[in-house]
Amino acid sequence: MAGGGRRSGGDAGRGSGGARPSGRRWSDRLVDKVKRLEADLDAARAPGKPAGPGKAPAGGRARASRGPSGDPLLEARRRWQEGFDAAPPAGPDREKPVTVSLRPMPPLCDPTDLAGKDHLADIGWPGEFPYTRGIHRSGYRSKLWTMRQFAGFGTAKDTNERYKFLLANGQTGLSVAFDLPTLMGYDSDHPSSEGEVGMCGVAISSIEDMDLLFRDIPLDRVSTSMTINGPAAILLALYVAVAEERGIPSEKLRGTLQNDILKEFIAQKEFIFPPKPSMKLVVDTIEFGVRRMPQWNSVSISGYHIREAGSTAAQELAFTIADGFGYVEAAMERGIDVDAFAPRLSFFWNAHLDFFEEIAKYRAARRIWARHMRDRYRAKDPRSWLMRFHTQTAGVSLTAQQPENNIVRTAIEALAGILGGTQSLHTNSMDETLALPSEKAVKIALRTQQVLAHEHGVASVQDPLGGSWLLEKLTDDLEREAEEYFRRIRDQGGVLACVEKGFQQREIARSAYDYQRALERGDRVVVGVNRFVEEGERIEIPLLKIGKEAEREQRRRLKRLRSTRDGAAARGALDAVRRDAKADRNLMPGLVAAVRARATLGEIVEVLKGVYGVHEETPEF
Amino acid sequence: MTERRIRVLICKPGLDGHDRGAKVVAASLRDAGMEVVYTGLRQTPEMVVETAIQEDVDAVGLSLHSAAHMTIFPRVLKLLRKRKADHILLTGGGIIPDEDRRELEEMGVGRLFGPGATSEEIVQYITAEVGRRRAAARAGA
């Protein structure tokens, strides 16, 4: 059979996978047969519409599903439905089950749900347009997903030790969590940083911190993801500068900069500059990537935080991909060829509780992106159509109560990510509602991925749920809901205008509130929280405690840096950054020079705030 | 006698921007009939206390997920005392380990709500505690 039903290797480059009339292969014949069957079903379900070709009943009207239709499938469906409706639900959450997105779930799907579906054009094959079933023909055959645990706390030295621990335990990529002062562009010794240094991530203020963070780690051989947005361009400059000082050219660096400022305005709220200059900085990094970092993902367009902020799966899908369109349009406006940068855009999705809805979301995401990139933005390189993505299990699904249960939740969420075809995965640790993860907890989380990868057989078959009536229906529904949001966003003047008006923010806040109410009504069960509660439970798992030593150490390091560096050189480099910003030039080369001159993150951000101003959100709830 | 509606100030102090909890709690308190002022993000302790006094609130709720709670709660409490405004209930929630919670409660911070708390619990607590403080103030006056 090999080759018989396959299509030639270059096919993905030629666009649509529509069935071709020539060469009537078995797959084409099968598709035709399915189409005929579906057309019949469609006609049977829609009274008044003419039935499919060659099957129109003489009277011209097919029967609806009620009453004897003569169609055994519809008859069977009706019989089943009667039996189902007669069964009493076991509880309020069983009556009309909803997902965590409050999507009502159909109690059963059958072939009638896929009537009229064009299997080749909509579902297709892995590695072929529209990539519903995956971006690679080979799935996980040649390469499993990258196991990438997000980590960072305390000083660069503390985190460097955690990285070495993770790499020694089989982790295959690094992922840097920065502390809040770094995320907000403050040095560790700034008054606003007090109490926050090293608490939620690692504190990085200068090239010396960055160098220490990656001590003994070969930057030309490891791939590094950096979760940073407001000051992302500066952190990228720091990474490039550390590599340069070790003799490694930027062309050799592999990894990902999150750099998704739109979702900061929408959800996570770690913004610094107003939306327009923030977008300019993103485009600067995209352009720098095109010129100097061919293996680097310049933006990781992130739904994760949108979902954590309380959105539904459809909102996560829609707002995130709309952000992606925003970056594509902004880079094209600067005159960068879409095929030069689009292959280096990547995505980052949440893996939430509802198994099927999540898998459908990943499948819909790939299809939407491919279609828009090819047909709307006219990208010609098939690599521009591919949605490559990272997945992280849902932090908000973890419970503080009975925290060991989180291991189970995380494993099943991770499974959804794998069956959805993720390229890399972070599994949360069981103790993350209480603190940053302990070494033991993070090891269990990593082992969860290894068990899934090697013991359960879940990585052997590509898109194993493809063709499931439920999955295909959910994939279609989610795509349709996302397209509806795209239309609403376009009608309101585009993604940046919507962000400035707070459209997405309000939609998400409403979903978060609706969910909380559903939870409190008992429509959703959370084990250990509103059911199966252990009265008087005392949570006893060892937590990672971060003291104030990190802050003191960082202050000492910064004081030393400021007193030993060439002050005139640092000031000169900062002036050059200011001039570049005022002249609207690409800031990246100047930023690399500035951090090499030992200018600090906070000093650079201050300069840029002077030119661009700061963003303040209008508070509403 | 009709008592004035309970007024609550909800704040996100510190650098963290994760405002889902703050917004859901603000909306829940409003729906329970309280007057809610939401400050938005990145408030310093000084700003929090200034707003609390100016808005004449009965309670201040701080939402913190960034592990800066051991710095921020004590500072707000101290400033409230310094400004003779410690009749205002200081409460809040977020990611706060039990041990820290006990320490803060011993200092005089009100109850702190963790993940899984319901809006009903929060409404009941604020209603009861503000009621108690109002009664004590009347008795003292």
Side-chain angles (χ1 to χ4, degrees):
Chain A
M1 202 172 83
R6 295 270 176 90
R7 304 166 55 157
S8 64
D11 209 48
R14 285 209 302 274
S16 165
R20 284 163 299 177
S22 59
R24 308 291 307 157
R25 285 174 293 195
W26 68 271
S27 56
D28 297 333
R29 288 197 299 276
L30 184 67
V31 167
D32 286 349
K33 191 176 169 190
V34 170
K35 277 187 182 165
R36 275 199 306 279
L37 279 170
E38 285 175 349
D40 293 349
L41 277 172
D42 222 15
R45 288 207 307 183
K49 274 197 194 160
K55 264 295 256 199
R61 289 181 77 89
R63 300 301 309 166
S65 55
R66 305 234 174 271
S69 64
D71 184 318
L73 197 57
L74 292 172
E75 267 306 299
R77 164 88 202 187
R78 193 188 50 75
R79 274 199 311 278
W80 168 81
Q81 186 75 48
E82 279 174 6
F84 179 84
D85 291 343
D93 62 308
R94 306 307 312 148
E95 189 167 352
K96 286 199 172 103
V98 292
T99 66
V100 73
S101 303
L102 306 186
R103 170 191 302 282
M105 283 295 266
L108 183 80
C109 287
D110 61 39
T112 63
D113 288 296
L114 297 190
K117 193 149 191 62
D118 183 338
H119 285 249
L120 269 179
D122 290 342
I123 304 173
W125 263 256
E128 290 184 22
F129 191 89
Y131 307 100
T132 313
R133 310 198 65 187
I135 58 168
H136 300 304
R137 283 198 165 79
S138 55
Y140 293 131
R141 179 184 165 94
S142 310
K143 186 176 179 291
L144 282 170
W145 63 91
T146 303
M147 298 178 190
R148 194 191 291 283
Q149 298 294 96
F150 184 42
F153 59 89
T155 61
K157 187 165 175 289
D158 301 325
T159 300
N160 176 260
E161 279 162 19
R162 176 66 69 91
Y163 289 167
K164 289 188 215 161
F165 169 85
L166 287 166
L167 290 170
N169 276 285
Q171 173 164 294
T172 49
L174 294 175
S175 176
V176 187
F178 296 101
D179 71 355
L180 274 163
T182 309
L183 294 172
M184 294 303 298
Y186 294 113
D187 287 336
S188 298
D189 57 357
H190 189 279
S192 296
S193 304
E194 203 186 332
E196 314 237 32
V197 175
M199 288 292 185
C200 296
V202 61
I204 300 292
S205 303
S206 74
I207 190 169
E208 295 186 356
D209 296 340
M210 199 69 158
D211 185 57
L212 188 51
L213 182 65
F214 293 102
R215 180 163 292 178
D216 306 325
I217 294 171
L219 295 183
D220 49 348
R221 280 187 282 137
V222 76
S223 88
T224 302
S225 168
M226 291 194 280
T227 297
I228 189 90
N229 297 281
I234 303 165
L235 271 295
L236 179 63
L238 282 165
Y239 195 71
V240 168
V242 166
E244 280 180 355
E245 292 195 348
R246 294 182 192 179
I248 300 165
S250 58
E251 285 75 9
K252 283 199 169 168
L253 298 176
R254 285 186 303 121
T256 304
L257 191 66
Q258 191 164 84
N259 202 20
D260 174 8
I261 199 66
L262 288 170
K263 68 94 174 52
E264 294 299 330
F265 294 115
I266 293 172
Q268 192 170 233
K269 313 290 174 77
E270 281 146 16
F271 41 70
I272 302 173
F273 313 112
K276 286 194 181 79
S278 295
M279 284 297 276
K280 176 245 184 306
L281 284 172
V282 175
V283 179
D284 281 2
T285 57
I286 291 175
E287 192 174 38
F288 185 77
V290 167
R291 289 186 195 150
R292 298 267 314 270
M293 304 185 82
Q295 304 189 74
W296 190 264
N297 298 312
S298 47
V299 190
S300 168
I301 307 156
S302 305
Y304 186 81
H305 321 81
I306 290 175
R307 192 67 181 281
E308 292 285 299
S311 84
T312 63
Q315 288 167 339
E316 179 193 2
L317 182 68
F319 296 159
T320 306
I321 296 183
D323 289 349
F325 298 154
Y327 298 122
V328 168
E329 287 167 20
M332 287 172 78
E333 268 169 39
R334 183 160 314 174
I336 311 172
D337 176 36
V338 63
D339 285 319
F341 69 84
R344 300 318 305 175
L345 298 176
S346 63
F347 282 80
F348 172 20
W349 299 112
N350 199 300
H352 217 305
L353 290 162
D354 273 277
F355 190 65
F356 301 114
E357 190 179 41
E358 293 303 287
I359 299 170
K361 180 185 74 186
Y362 308 125
R363 301 175 84 248
R366 275 192 296 265
R367 187 158 81 199
I368 294 168
W369 188 246
R371 286 179 168 164
H372 284 259
M373 290 310 289
R374 192 189 72 177
D375 301 337
R376 193 162 136 216
Y377 297 110
R378 307 272 174 222
K380 291 182 186 66
D381 184 345
R383 292 178 311 147
S384 301
W385 309 338
L386 302 183
M387 171 178 285
R388 294 169 300 122
F389 65 93
H390 173 69
T391 303
Q392 180 172 340
T393 58
V396 288
S397 73
L398 304 181
T399 63
Q401 297 78 4
Q402 305 173 33
E404 293 86 349
N405 298 346
N406 293 328
I407 299 172
V408 181
R409 294 186 179 99
T410 296
I412 294 170
E413 292 165 356
L415 178 58
I418 295 163
L419 299 185
T422 194
Q423 274 64 56
S424 66
L425 184 60
H426 167 105
T427 32
N428 289 327
S429 301
M430 63 169 158
D431 53 359
E432 292 192 60
T433 66
L434 305 164
L436 291 192
S438 68
E439 209 162 80
K440 167 103 182 175
V442 81
K443 189 149 81 179
I444 294 171
L446 175 61
R447 294 281 182 255
T448 302
Q449 293 198 37
Q450 291 161 340
V451 167
L452 283 167
H454 302 291
E455 295 185 14
H456 291 276
V458 299
S460 311
V461 181
Q462 296 194 55
D463 187 32
L465 296 179
S468 145
W469 296 305
L470 169 66
L471 251 292
E472 296 299 349
K473 175 186 153 47
L474 284 174
T475 305
D476 292 353
D477 288 352
L478 281 161
E479 183 180 21
R480 202 167 37 246
E481 291 159 34
E483 289 291 344
E484 173 60 19
Y485 266 122
F486 299 154
R487 190 191 59 70
R488 289 174 69 189
I489 289 169
R490 260 199 311 276
D491 288 351
Q492 295 177 76
V495 67
L496 205 58
C498 283
V499 161
E500 285 171 343
K501 276 188 285 199
F503 168 68
Q504 296 95 326
Q505 293 90 313
R506 276 192 299 277
E507 290 283 304
I508 295 167
R510 200 181 60 208
S511 298
Y513 188 54
D514 290 346
Y515 172 77
Q516 183 65 27
R517 292 193 4 186
L519 190 67
E520 293 182 8
R521 278 197 307 269
D523 293 354
R524 289 282 307 181
V525 170
V526 183
V527 171
V529 177
N530 66 1
R531 285 275 288 280
F532 315 107
V533 177
E534 290 174 14
E535 291 303 336
E537 181 194 358
R538 281 188 62 97
I539 296 161
E540 278 167 13
I541 51 174
L543 295 182
L544 179 75
K545 289 288 267 185
I546 295 159
K548 297 200 172 171
E549 305 80 51
E551 191 163 326
R552 283 195 289 271
E553 170 68 15
Q554 275 298 96
R555 285 172 182 277
R556 269 197 302 275
R557 288 171 57 79
L558 274 163
K559 198 169 172 194
R560 196 174 60 226
L561 175 94
R562 290 191 220 278
S563 63
T564 56
R565 70 181 174 187
D566 177 346
R571 277 193 302 280
L574 286 166
D575 287 340
V577 169
R578 185 180 296 108
R579 283 194 300 275
D580 285 346
K582 284 185 173 162
D584 210 23
R585 283 190 285 267
N586 188 317
L587 295 188
M588 281 307 300
L591 292 176
V592 175
V595 299
R596 290 195 70 171
R598 272 51 189 168
T600 65
L601 168 72
E603 289 163 350
I604 297 171
V605 168
E606 277 310 308
V607 163
L608 295 179
K609 281 180 179 171
V611 180
Y612 298 139
V614 293
H615 178 68
E616 277 189 46
E617 184 188 63
T618 314
E620 50 179 321
F621 65 90
Chain B
M1 188 183 89
T2 55
E3 266 198 295
R4 122 183 150 148
R5 286 205 290 167
I6 294 176
R7 300 188 84 173
V8 185
L9 179 69
I10 298 291
C11 309
K12 275 290 300 170
L15 297 178
D16 175 41
H18 291 84
D19 56 4
R20 175 181 182 165
K23 285 179 164 189
V24 167
V25 168
S28 302
L29 298 181
R30 177 196 59 205
D31 289 358
M34 298 183 193
E35 265 182 69
V36 180
V37 182
Y38 172 53
T39 60
L41 303 172
R42 314 223 154 85
Q43 302 287 302
T44 62
E46 290 75 14
M47 289 154 82
V48 169
V49 170
E50 187 59 38
T51 313
I53 292 169
Q54 282 193 0
E55 297 281 346
D56 187 22
V57 298
D58 299 292
V60 174
L62 305 184
S63 169
L64 276 156
H65 301 280
S66 66
H69 50 267
M70 294 311 280
T71 306
I72 289 170
F73 272 107
R75 186 160 305 166
V76 171
L77 192 66
K78 199 170 140 197
L79 284 166
L80 283 172
R81 285 176 179 156
K82 196 170 142 199
R83 302 279 304 266
K84 307 247 180 301
D86 51 343
H87 58 282
I88 298 173
L89 166 66
L90 176 62
T91 173
I95 304 294
I96 300 168
D98 277 350
E99 201 182 309
D100 294 349
R101 186 180 314 224
R102 281 191 292 274
E103 198 178 323
L104 290 170
E105 285 172 2
E106 273 164 30
M107 272 179 217
V109 175
R111 196 188 298 172
L112 300 177
F113 295 87
T118 64
S119 42
E120 198 184 321
E121 284 172 66
I122 299 170
V123 167
Q124 276 177 4
Y125 169 71
I126 291 178
T127 308
E129 185 60 26
V130 168
R132 197 185 62 72
R133 287 176 185 227
R134 282 180 177 177
R138 274 197 300 272

